[in-house]
Amino acid sequence: MGREGSSGMVKLLRRAPPTVLLSLIIALQTGRAGGPEAIPVEMLLVDSPDQATQILDRLNAGDDFAALAHEYSIDTTASDGGYLGEVNPDDMRLELRDALKDLRPGERSGIVKLPSGYAILQVLKEPQTANTPDTLDTDPARLLAVKAQESIPRTIDASGYQELIQSMRDRIFSETWATDLKGACATRQQAPVEAIAALREQLNSKAGKTPEDLAISHMVIGELLSATGSLDDAIEEWEQAYELDKSVSGDYVPILEGALGPGYLRRASLPDPSKRSPVNENWLMPSRPGAPQAKQADVRKGIQYLTRLLARDRSNTEVQWLLNLAYMMAGTYPAGVPKDVLIPPSVFASQEDLGHFRDVAPAAGLDVVGTAGGAIVDDFDNDGLLDVVTSQMDDCAPLHFFHNNGDGTFTDRAAQAGLLDQTGGLNIIQTDYNNDGCLDILIMRGGWEFPRRRSLLRNNCDGTFTDVTEQSGLLQPPRSSQSAVWADIDNDGNLDLFVANENAPAQLFLNRGDGTFVDIAREAGVGRSAFSKAVVAEDYDHDGDVDFYVSNQNGPGFLYHNNGDRTFTEVSGPAGVQANRYAFGAWFFDYDNDGWPDLFVTSYYGSAAESARSYLGLPRRGETLKLFKNMKDGTFRDVTVETGLDRVLLPMGSNFGDIDNDGYPDIYLGMGTPSFATIFPNTLLHNQEGKRFVDVTESTGTGAVSKGHGVAFGDLGNTGEEDIFVVMGGASIGDRGVARLFENPGHGNDWITLKLVGEKSNRAAIGARIAVTVVNPGKEARTIYKAVGSGGSFGASPFQQHIGLGKSARIEKIEIFWPASKTRQTFTGVAPNQFLEIKESATSPVKLDRPSFQIGKAALSAAKSAPLRP
């Protein structure tokens, strides 16, 4: 491949969809890519043969292919009317290749059976010049803004995750693969090995290949090795590719510098079990004095490559950011950073000092190492102590079930609980779907990847769980999803389940009350397809029926208003909550305590450069976080700017809680993308009395820089202060992280914790509303509002509700509204700083005696040198 061909390849590498990148490169190595055989093709994919037959009949009767694809297809191209682009049949799956081989322009195939569903293909007479318009939002100014974002620089990606997914895609042949957890694990392990072997075979056959051709093979082998955790070998492959290409055209040199710089930093920061200590002060941004340092040889190499890359474009804020991080890892920030590159410490400075939150996960036995995943903090055995459950998106990694021992330590009882065969899961949430008083677990799988089964694990109330997914009716059909929410849509006392899927219709499972569910999404009016990333529930208009909000990555979110008859109306436009098109996490909470739930939605435009610009206060084009204030009339007002949340960040996991017991909910965001280059600190935002959120990451020491996912707030030591637990790690095994437990230092404010028990309403009291009226010295009475739930959409906090009351608080009254019975309870004369249980029909609360202890006390006492604040 000559210089001109190499330049073309660089362009292809930069713009190729992730799902075709590996196939593209292998095809280039075998000489099969491109060429005159490429034809414009549309594809419509559904999940049942009956539906495929009905759609084929409609097509034969003259219905429009693109319109049907937009409405029914579960493929990622649904929003584009099924348009795949100009494709070479030789580069497609065998089944699709055979279906296309005899088709002429304007003709369509029959039904093609695939592992992911049933497809119909159509060859166009000429390529499309534009995508199918998005009818959800046709405002010209809005569309112009979306087009402007297309020019935002995308993040350097050296994680190999996209290549790993493509290698897996090429191996999924079995109809039962999506429901076979062991098969998914085997595919994740074997697929990259086979892809690497195929590439090495091409590499060894050097006849007719230029140095650029060989460099491509080394590059992709390195990507696959990095995804599987073999960073030593990956870096060696990238170094070989670098030297090969540097000796000739140099077209790939910037790409490889973008891989090697972050790659060396990633290797430098991998968890080292030999350096385990009770308190983890490592990998915080900005780095703390005295914190353990990284492998310095790797850090120096990372700085070397990043410096070269920045020299090519001094305006590249992403590389500038990475260089400052590298100098932090070297222990020489800020003095050692070249002045023209330095990001001043003032950029990271907190506006308030709320005390230092030590990471005591090692002392507690919670420093689990893994990839991105979910977290639940709740009491699974009803002993009054909060346990911790974690998952990983790695298909071979089982759940961890950490039992709270009541002495500041936790023991993993996954084996005893029967959970070791429950592998994978990017998100997990708790529930009590059968109203037996014991919390169950739902595992969501397949997010960002392939349709995968979910798992409903019934708590047997004896320390064990049973997989009841199939018998409950939740097994089929498998979907790609990482978001679901439990809510009682018809107030019959049984929790129903809304599942937001990726490029497939949403599912709304009605709980029949006998342990089984039926999907009523289509008739309920919520079965829309989008690349959905979160679904949350709340009765936002206080009409007694729970509503839903769905955030999407490919368009505005959906706000479903409950009509009170098991049907919903989508009202996001009239309600004024359509300002996001690249959204991720979401939740309802009453940020200003006016009694009406507001809506918070995170943005997720995958550009590290834009996030860096946001930190530096430079003009930016990416979408910001969004906060919509409930106007009490069914509409919302965008208050993002006035509350200080107009920042472009990259939050994955996120949740809210009250870090200082002042009665106002604060926000913790776990940052990241699959790329090794996306290294931003998790961010803690303090709510200043419902007026503004300020960044307190630096002062609290909560800015962990490994990727943050599942986030849960919980009082793990029953001390009356909420701690923050975070599952850390990226998408690939090469991007493993160590879970963090940030212990709350305490702030001297009062609190009350309420465990509600439904009787006519669902047993877990999900959806019940709480109002606590308090008086603080020198201030007028105020009311603090909470609704029972697990908090945000990526990480689950306890169903018991911890409510901060402020300084020297006197509780005037506690009010509870129960949705199913439509009853209200009022309790007076309640003292603060205690745990209470309130049943739906009770005339008075019951005090719960719960032991209080310091997390990891024994380990911390043994480690005399562990600093309170370095």
Side-chain angles (χ1 to χ4, degrees), residues 686-726:
H686 180 238
N687 185 342
Q688 294 183 323
E689 298 184 341
K691 299 179 179 64
R692 189 171 181 82
F693 290 84
V694 297
D695 192 329
V696 293
T697 307
E698 181 272 334
S699 65
T700 57
T702 54
V705 295
S706 179
K707 312 301 172 54
H709 209 262
V711 176
F713 286 74
D715 182 3
L716 290 170
N718 288 340
T719 61
E721 305 278 352
E722 285 193 296
D723 310 301
I724 306 173
F725 178 77
V726 194

Side-chain angles (χ1 to χ4, degrees), residues 72-99:
Y72 295 106
S73 181
I74 63 174
D75 188 66
T76 57
T77 58
S79 60
D80 293 332
Y83 187 52
L84 295 175
E86 294 181 78
V87 300
N88 186 333
D90 286 344
D91 294 332
M92 302 185 77
R93 291 183 61 91
L94 179 62
E95 304 97 314
L96 299 177
R97 188 188 317 162
D98 289 343

Side-chain angles (χ1 to χ4, degrees), residues 719-748:
T719 61
E721 305 278 352
E722 285 193 296
D723 310 301
I724 306 173
F725 178 77
V726 194
V727 167
M728 305 292 293
S732 65
I733 297 174
D735 205 6
R736 299 183 303 278
V738 184
R740 319 289 294 239
L741 174 58
F742 293 107
E743 181 187 37
N744 197 314
H747 299 85

Side-chain angles (χ1 to χ4, degrees), residues 171 195 202 253 283 358 373 384 418 503 563 583 596 666 700 732 757 803:
R171 284 181 51 89
Q202 295 298 323
V253 163
W283 314 129
R358 294 184 303 180
N503 292 312
N563 300 320
W596 293 80
D666 311 300
T700 57
S732 65
V757 180
I803 301 169

